[in-house]
Amino acid sequence: MKLFIPFFSLLILTACSEKPTEIEKIKLLTHLDSVGYAVGLDIANRLDGQFDDINPETIIQGIRDFSGDDSLMITDEERLEVIRVYTQVTQVEKQKAMIDLNKKAGEAFLGENLKDPKVKATESGLQYTVISEGGGVKPHFRDEVKVHYSGKLLDGTVFDSSLERGEPVVFPLDNVIPGFSEGILLMTQGSKYELFIPGDLAYRENNGPGGPYSLLIFEVELIEVIKPPRME
């Protein structure tokens, strides 16, 4: 059993390296042909992005063997193990690739963004612009705040917006991502800022909007600073 996992890791790599030969495309001559094709599309849709480097002919062969009279080439226990090993390896590789991609994209954006004289930066790497400055009190890290905000990714995709929901949000400043709380702590009540939050001040390696270490852009209006009740 000690050789089991390395053997199947090798089996995966071997299967991945084999390229499918050119197959003649079938024609959908009957309704059942269309049903079968639709089932295949459904399976591909469910597995989208999970097994991109696998020879699809091996998947088809697995379906044929399971449905037919041919003996299976691996046991049910081996089936579970080979998928587990593959998933574990590819998840780590995809996570690393996504982190590298997002970090480079964020660094390139922030470098260009800082050339704008309106953009300011803090020691932590947070960047921001002042859209309008209020004249109210400044929040403390232990305060709650009522804000309107809209968050988007580098490509402009809006992933969350209290403005679209039509209702401001109240939350404690010590319970949000570091870059968001740091940005709001710079503001006074009534201010509106745009925050450019690097990945290491956002969700880091966690699967937040845009993936691990994705840079996030927020437009935030600080409507009210809510002080905690004083202890008697």
Side-chain angles (χ1 to χ4, degrees), residues 86-115:
Y86 173 87
T87 303
Q88 187 177 55
V89 171
T90 53
Q91 280 181 342
V92 170
E93 290 175 349
K94 287 180 180 180
Q95 179 87 346
K96 287 180 179 178
M98 181 65 75
I99 288 173
D100 186 55
L101 183 68
N102 283 342
K103 280 186 174 182
K104 287 180 178 178
E107 289 167 3
F109 173 85
L110 292 171
E112 286 296 314
N113 198 44
L114 206 53
K115 295 177 182 179

Side-chain angles (χ1 to χ4, degrees), residues 179 193 202:
Y193 282 20

